[in-house]
Amino acid sequence: MKNYYIKSKAGSADYLSIINESEEGFMVRIFRDLDGYEKIIDEYMTRALFETCVRTGYLCQMEEKEATAIA
């Protein structure tokens, strides 16, 4: 599952997770935190809208943390 930061106003921590992908688009889960008030929304996004959001910087992919081995 890929995760993306959502560009938002200061004081909010919003991100999006792709739940399912099809040829036409994506089923996504949006997590919003507005001053301690949490809201989770499941939505469908067309592929064109999603790609536009990434291209314009509205969505920015989170880096996946790599597992580190302790020797």
Side-chain angles (χ1 to χ4, degrees):
M1 181 167 29
K2 291 185 180 178
N3 297 309
Y4 294 82
Y5 293 109
I6 301 172
K7 189 176 191 177
S8 57
K9 66 179 183 171
S12 65
D14 304 338
Y15 65 95
L16 172 146
S17 294
I18 296 176
I19 298 171
N20 196 4
E21 181 177 351
S22 68
E23 285 185 26
E24 295 82 25
F26 302 91
M27 193 66 193
V28 299
R29 179 163 288 148
I30 300 168
F31 298 88
R32 306 201 92 154
D33 183 356
L34 302 168
D35 297 325
Y37 173 75
E38 295 179 4
K39 187 173 184 179
I40 300 172
I41 305 164
D42 289 344
E43 286 288 335
Y44 177 80
M45 288 182 77
T46 64
R47 187 170 294 276
L49 175 60
F50 182 83
E51 290 173 355
T52 299
C53 289
V54 171
R55 189 173 48 251
T56 59
Y58 185 72
L59 294 176
C60 180
Q61 187 171 356
M62 292 181 185
E63 292 183 21
E64 294 184 32
K65 293 183 181 178
E66 295 181 19
T68 56
I70 299 175

